[in-house]
Amino acid sequence: MLDGIRTKLRDPRFLGGAGLVLGGAVLGATLLIGFDVAVEASNRQEFCVSCHEMKQAVWPEYQTTVHFANASGVQATCADCHVPRAWPAKFVHKIGSINEIYHWALGTIDTPEKFESHRAALAAKVWAEMKANDSAECRHCHNVAAMDRARQHTAARDVHPAALAAGMTCIDCHKGIAHKLPAAPKPTPVSTGPVGTAPVATAPGTAAPAATAPAQKQAQLPAPTPGTTQAPMKATHPPVTDPASCIACHKGVTDQPVRPGQSPDPTKKHPIAIREGVNCMLCHTTPGKLPGQ
């Protein structure tokens, strides 16, 4: 038996096959380790903001948020939010990132104006990815089971259980947490009949239907709050499906003084919402009314 093994080990064909397998294993391990090193290097914050596209766009926005600086000193970097931690999702994401190098070479977003023109599409892509993986990167740091709701703000304390019960995920509400929202599209014009009737949408190029009842005088609305530019709520409100649309009209709240921990970003409004990046529609499910009103 030993003679047979010795003979086999001396067989050139066996030695060639064994050498090929061993060489393949070493090459595979080298490539895997090299890829992992490259991934970790590209995950560093310094690498993420090394191109001027990031330095002039999202980097300044991020620096004004609680994810960059906060009382506890726990910082969420670009990779913490944008790169999956689990394999093979991390591998797939990094391979897909080659597309970013391609557009960098083309100069697709190499000016602030170009970036703003693509902001809505870029944001929608990231939101869709986070929605699809149940906000996995958020949950890496934010454990819902570990939240002490008694120490949360009243709005969060009430809304979180309802959101979880409805199957919502973090990104459904926290879209403005680290970067400003895309510019809101202009709301669809809506013609209105007499006060108290439903708004009537008009097709482009057609006249609004005539009122079937005599026009009634519109109810007297309260004056704007002193010290702000916020106008009183109108009698009718166009339908809103995208929270970014709210900012198209409701800009008066942005002249409130910025408090510690808040971002001066005008797309974030009330004190708690500004700090937490809360989606407008989370509270204002009925335009102009708070929950329970």
Side-chain angles (χ1 to χ4, degrees):
M1 180 177 178
L2 292 177
D3 291 339
I5 294 175
R6 187 179 297 110
T7 301
K8 190 70 174 178
L9 291 176
R10 292 174 178 173
D11 187 341
R13 291 175 299 176
F14 174 79
L15 293 176
L20 185 63
V21 171
L22 181 60
V26 171
L27 178 62
T30 301
L31 292 175
L32 183 61
I33 294 173
F35 179 80
D36 190 63
V37 170
V39 165
E40 293 307 316
S42 64
N43 280 351
R44 292 185 299 110
Q45 192 85 307
E46 296 79 8
F47 179 87
C48 294
V49 297
S50 60
C51 60
H52 76 275
E53 286 87 345
M54 296 297 100
K55 286 181 179 178
Q56 69 186 4
V58 295
W59 174 242
E61 299 169 3
Y62 161 70
Q63 288 179 295
T64 67
T65 68
V66 71
H67 275 151
F68 178 79
N70 52 72
S72 64
V74 178
Q75 188 180 74
T77 65
C78 303
D80 288 328
C81 296
H82 293 286
V83 180
R85 287 170 173 78
W87 291 81
K90 181 189 290 188
F91 177 81
V92 173
H93 178 86
K94 286 298 181 179
I95 294 299
S97 297
I98 295 175
N99 182 59
E100 298 177 11
I101 300 175
Y102 170 72
H103 283 285
W104 169 80
L106 290 180
T108 304
I109 56 173
D110 60 357
T111 68
E113 293 75 19
K114 288 182 181 179
F115 182 85
E116 288 301 327
S117 69
H118 289 84
R119 183 188 284 272
L122 294 171
K125 180 177 182 294
V126 173
W127 295 342
E129 291 173 351
M130 299 183 80
K131 177 74 172 177
N133 67 14
D134 195 21
S135 304
E137 279 64 66
C138 302
R139 297 177 186 277
H140 182 79
C141 295
H142 299 277
N143 187 341
V144 176
M147 289 182 178
D148 184 356
R149 290 196 172 91
R151 300 172 65 181
Q152 291 181 342
H153 183 265
T154 306
R157 189 186 314 152
D158 295 339
V159 170
H160 276 158
L164 291 172
M168 298 175 70
T169 186
C170 312
I171 197 59
D172 287 323
C173 301
H174 298 281
K175 287 179 177 168
I177 191 73
H179 307 295
K180 71 178 185 179
L181 295 171
K186 295 181 179 179
T188 304
V190 177
S191 63
T192 61
V195 174
T197 63
V200 180
T202 58
T206 61
T212 57
Q216 301 178 20
K217 187 176 181 180
Q218 186 173 355
Q220 187 66 33
L221 296 174
T225 305
T228 73
T229 58
Q230 186 174 8
M233 188 180 72
K234 298 179 180 179
T236 59
H237 197 292
V240 176
T241 56
D242 183 356
S245 301
C246 303
I247 311 302
C249 300
H250 297 277
K251 296 179 180 178
V253 292
T254 61
D255 60 13
Q256 295 177 352
V258 176
R259 298 173 176 82
Q262 289 186 11
S263 165
D265 188 341
T267 62
K268 302 173 187 175
K269 305 189 297 182
H270 308 312
I272 297 300
I274 290 175
R275 188 174 69 245
E276 302 297 338
V278 174
N279 186 323
C280 308
M281 299 301 292
L282 181 62
C283 297
H284 299 280
T285 51
T286 301
K289 292 185 179 180
L290 292 172
Q293 290 185 333

